[in-house]
Amino acid sequence: MRDRCERCETTALPADGPARICSYECTFCVPCTDAMDGVCPNCGGELVPRPRRT
Ligand SMILES: [Zn+2]
Ligand SMILES: [Zn+2]
């Protein structure tokens, strides 16, 4: 699991924090996801909230 946003590459995405992920596991922070209208720029898939580890 990636621990950084793939778009801005500066926002850390800890496993227990908010993040968005597509079906190919491209991972982004929430502000980037909003800026991209919830569409993955790599594969065109829908970005959904990443499940948190409990
Ligand atoms: Zn980002
Ligand atoms: Zn993707």
Side-chain angles (χ1 to χ4, degrees):
M1 181 172 293
R2 298 182 177 91
D3 63 357
R4 266 176 203 286
C5 173
E6 293 185 30
R7 183 172 185 259
C8 59
E9 297 185 335
T10 55
T11 302
L13 300 173
D16 61 349
R20 297 293 180 268
I21 190 168
C22 80
S23 54
Y24 291 95
E25 298 192 347
C26 313
T27 310
F28 303 94
C29 67
V30 174
C32 284
T33 300
D34 290 344
M36 299 183 294
D37 289 331
V39 178
C40 176
N42 298 331
C43 62
E46 181 184 8
L47 294 167
V48 299
R50 187 177 67 178
R52 298 186 188 191
R53 296 182 188 276
T54 51

